[in-house]
Amino acid sequence: MLENFAALTPGAFYRYAIRPDGDHYFVELGDRIEQFVGVDKSELLKDANLLFNRLPSEHQQELFQRVVDSAQQQAEFHYVFSVERPDGKTVWLEARSTPELKANGDVLWTGFVYDVTARERATEKLNSHLSNVNHVLNNMHDAIITTDAHGKVLYLNQSAEELLGFQLSELKGENIKQVMPQHHKRRHDNYMASYRETRQAQIIGSTRSVEVVSKSQEYIPVELRICEYVENGALRFMGTLRDLRPTIASKEALDSLRSTDPLTGLKNRSALLSHITYCLNAPTSKTSGHYCLLSLDVDDFRFINEGFGVNRGDDVLVEIGQRLQRVAADAICIARIQEDEFGILINGVQNRAQVEAYYERLKDALQEPIDLGKAASSIRLSAGACLLVSSDMTSMDVLHHCEVALGTSKQRSRGGLSFYEASLGDSYRSSALIDQKLKSPYLLSELFLEFQPQMQADGIALGYEALLRWRSDGDLIRPDEFIPIAERNGAIVIIGEWLIEQACQFLLWHQRTFPARETRLSINISPVQFQQANFVQIIAEAVKRTGIDARFLHLELTERLLIESTDHIVEKMSALSALGITFSLDDFGTGYSSLGYLSRLPLAELKIDKSFVRNLEPTSSNYRIVEAIILLSQSLGLNVIAEGVETEAELALLKRLGCVYYQGYYFGRPVAREQLTAPQMG
Ligand code: C2E
Ligand code: CA
Ligand code: CA
């Protein structure tokens, strides 16, 4: 029966036995065996060794071991082995049989043997192929990294291990972001998510120059090509990275990488310098005009970074870069020089007015508020300009001159443009000097206050604003010049404490000198000072020590402060309000305010910035802004005070718009305490 069945299968039937003395023999063999091994069936039945001797010795040993195991355990025998045929060909056979113990003590196996040569050859080929692939991958010059659809690393070849300094075992399962520079990391998740959703690839298939970060934190420029493939139904990415460092042929790519600012995609400082050098050497004529470098610095960028986090700060810089590219598309070069400083090289400049007009254009482009999450901010720029007029200049001179001019803008008129003039160099150097002087132990003895009246609409004095003055070595240094530096080097903290004490002393003095007239005193509080942990305590103690009525102490805060977490600020302001202290929001309209903020803060007053009051005319845009601020303050139940009122005409317009309080040269300049007479009547 079995024999009949055997004819139907591709195998050769066999019965094989071992006697207790170890002698072995074939009891029966199917015809096909001759086909398989090329030896006569009758010969094999006489001597089983005619077959076993044709096995390679290691197969003979193992086969024998399996036979013994199968006999002892009465378990199926199964083995794949090769046989060398008399004609020199090698065949692979697979034997399967079941043992049984006979009464005479023999063990008898009954089963089939199959020719599996084709299968074994294919496997062998595949293995050798795989080992070749591995060999190729590992000896490839290019680094290969594969990831899953979420960026999880699946594989690195040897070159990738060498390039990145990570072993496969260290990166496997980690996110690929681990080897990306900071600014790419942040965008990667979003990018992957949007790619999975939309399949809109920006980078798949194209070759780009990027940087990767090695285990030792080295930034390595590479040429990256990413392709996607599907493995067992799952989306995979394969990145091929070519190290650009040693390749002379990729010099161009390196140059572009070297000259690009990775965050904004604008040119970087060194690219800008090469452009300047080029322009310095290029002939210009009166008619074609000059080249001019403008450097732009974002006002109060530090506050964006500190208040909203570096990521938002980066986003703002990217947005600024994009807007500059749009509005200054005609520029020769737009670069990010450092952190929040940009450089724009333009040509065809005939006079200063043209540069000013150009600057106004840039300023307007940045007026449109940028979303900061909690608030929207329009960006203000300080700018410096330097004309490329002398061929003796180097590119570094031009950049330096421009920064000198920028420094002047920053200190004198925030939000403005200054031109480089030789003399500006001195005043710029003095900022380092101011920084030094602010650290002098005699600083407080060199400070004094001036007081400028604040008036009500009915002409009755409301009080004064205290304005800080500093006389150092006979020079009067203006607060606009030294306060930003004091905020940076921390001197503002002791100056602020001194100011609070002086303000209390002033209120005591005023009460003694003019007992008939109540007056309030406004003092300016720097955000840096407000953020001190003990700020509330310092005021509370000064109020208590001097015994003043805190209702007469009024604090002017700037919108810059509001970038900080509101909860924190509301908490402090509420604690101070509880003492009776009131608040005004200074320079209103120039900064970051959002309505959401305003309604949450315990404010008493908005102070319209003097830039809106200047040249106020019914047809000017300032007029509409002032009108809007006054309406806003009315709807929020706040008082509104206009500063910088210089003329009767301005006053009349402000009155018409419903302004309630005023301050400005029209009513009085800031003066020393001794010069104050009884508060003026209008
Ligand atoms: P601010 O708080 O906006 O002060 C008003 C500035 O406008 C003062 O300049 C004042 O002299 C000037 N001003 C007043 N009326 C007029 C006017 O009718 N026309 C014009 N063009 N200007 C007028 P000042 O004293 O140079 O102060 C400049 C800035 O320095 C202040 O701006 C304030 O931000 C800061 N500051 C002054 N004193 C202090 C202080 O004690 N602490 C802090 N943290 N900052 C201060
Ligand atoms: Ca003020
Ligand atoms: Ca102001």
Side-chain angles (χ1 to χ4, degrees), residues 465-467 523-524 556 586-587 607 643 663:
E465 175 176 4
L467 293 159
I523 59 174
N524 294 286
E556 293 191 2
D586 203 356
D587 303 339
K607 194 164 186 182
E643 69 178 4
Q663 178 182 348

Side-chain angles (χ1 to χ4, degrees), residues 192-457:
M192 293 289 267
S194 104
Y195 180 70
R196 283 193 304 269
E197 239 171 49
T198 62
R199 284 301 179 100
Q200 293 274 331
Q202 287 154 357
I203 55 170
I204 304 286
S206 62
T207 304
R208 304 182 306 145
S209 294
V210 298
E211 283 175 314
V212 288
V213 185
S214 73
K215 189 176 179 181
S216 60
Q217 294 301 306
E218 190 189 348
Y219 281 58
I220 304 168
V222 297
E223 190 181 86
L224 171 69
R225 199 180 161 82
I226 296 175
C227 66
E228 58 163 307
Y229 62 98
V230 174
E231 188 184 46
N232 298 331
L235 181 62
R236 304 272 188 253
F237 294 101
M238 178 166 97
T240 313
L241 293 78
R242 178 164 296 173
D243 188 347
L244 287 182
R245 291 172 302 183
T247 325
I248 299 164
S250 1
K251 189 181 169 304
E252 233 182 87
L254 244 179
D255 280 350
S256 111
L257 194 72
R258 282 214 186 101
S259 63
T260 308
D261 167 45
L263 177 66
T264 58
L266 300 177
K267 293 280 176 238
N268 62 15
R269 186 172 183 273
S270 77
L272 178 65
L273 285 170
S274 339
H275 278 286
I276 297 173
T277 306
Y278 178 83
C279 294
L280 282 171
N281 295 322
T284 53
S285 67
K286 262 215 148 55
T287 45
S288 67
H290 294 290
Y291 295 103
C292 175
L293 178 66
L294 270 164
S295 63
L296 309 171
D297 190 288
V298 181
D299 288 341
D300 295 330
F301 184 71
R302 188 165 66 94
F303 289 93
I304 297 181
N305 254 349
E306 286 169 8
F308 290 91
V310 192
N311 284 4
R312 270 283 150 71
D314 280 0
D315 291 346
V316 168
L317 294 174
V318 170
E319 173 69 25
I320 293 175
Q322 286 169 353
R323 292 191 190 182
L324 290 179
Q325 271 175 319
R326 260 198 314 271
V327 67
D330 55 342
I332 296 173
C333 174
I334 307 174
R336 184 159 79 113
I337 301 174
Q338 55 180 354
E339 183 71 340
D340 58 338
E341 193 184 326
F342 296 83
I344 299 185
L345 186 60
I346 55 176
N347 64 350
V349 171
Q350 310 277 5
N351 52 43
R352 283 187 175 208
Q354 281 181 348
V355 181
E356 275 158 4
Y358 202 94
Y359 166 68
E360 288 299 322
R361 228 167 81 192
L362 302 178
K363 233 173 64 175
D364 287 348
L366 295 170
Q367 277 300 312
E368 180 91 350
I370 294 181
D371 183 16
L372 290 174
K374 295 184 279 188
S377 162
S378 54
I379 296 300
R380 288 210 303 182
L381 295 175
S382 296
C386 175
L387 290 174
L388 279 61
V389 282
S390 149
S391 56
D392 297 341
M393 290 188 194
T394 65
S395 55
M396 280 301 285
D397 289 340
V398 174
L399 193 58
H400 180 68
H401 291 170
C402 217
E403 279 170 357
V404 167
L406 176 62
T408 310
S409 292
K410 277 232 143 263
Q411 285 172 34
R412 294 256 161 82
S413 50
R414 286 153 32 94
L417 165 71
S418 307
F419 283 83
Y420 172 75
E421 278 155 43
S423 67
L424 291 179
D426 303 336
S427 84
Y428 188 58
R429 268 193 290 283
S430 72
S431 93
L433 196 65
I434 289 174
D435 179 77
Q436 269 308 306
K437 286 181 167 188
L438 282 168
K439 293 169 185 159
S440 152
Y442 307 111
L443 173 68
L444 294 182
S445 67
E446 297 170 348
L447 298 177
F448 60 98
L449 291 175
E450 284 189 340
F451 301 89
Q452 186 178 32
Q454 298 182 325
M455 311 299 288
Q456 298 181 21

Side-chain angles (χ1 to χ4, degrees), residues 461-516:
L462 166 77
Y464 302 94
E465 175 176 4
L467 293 159
L468 193 55
R469 302 290 175 252
W470 180 23
R471 192 178 300 282
S472 170
D473 299 331
D475 286 339
L476 190 66
I477 307 178
R478 303 217 49 98
D480 276 340
E481 240 172 301
F482 72 82
I483 291 210
I485 302 172
E487 285 179 339
R488 250 174 277 143
N489 73 12
I492 194 69
V493 176
I494 56 158
I495 295 176
E497 287 179 19
W498 172 89
L499 174 72
I500 290 164
E501 177 66 23
Q502 293 296 307
C504 293
Q505 294 300 340
F506 174 89
L507 285 170
L508 283 183
W509 169 86
H510 195 276
Q511 201 185 359
R512 269 202 314 273
T513 317
F514 308 105

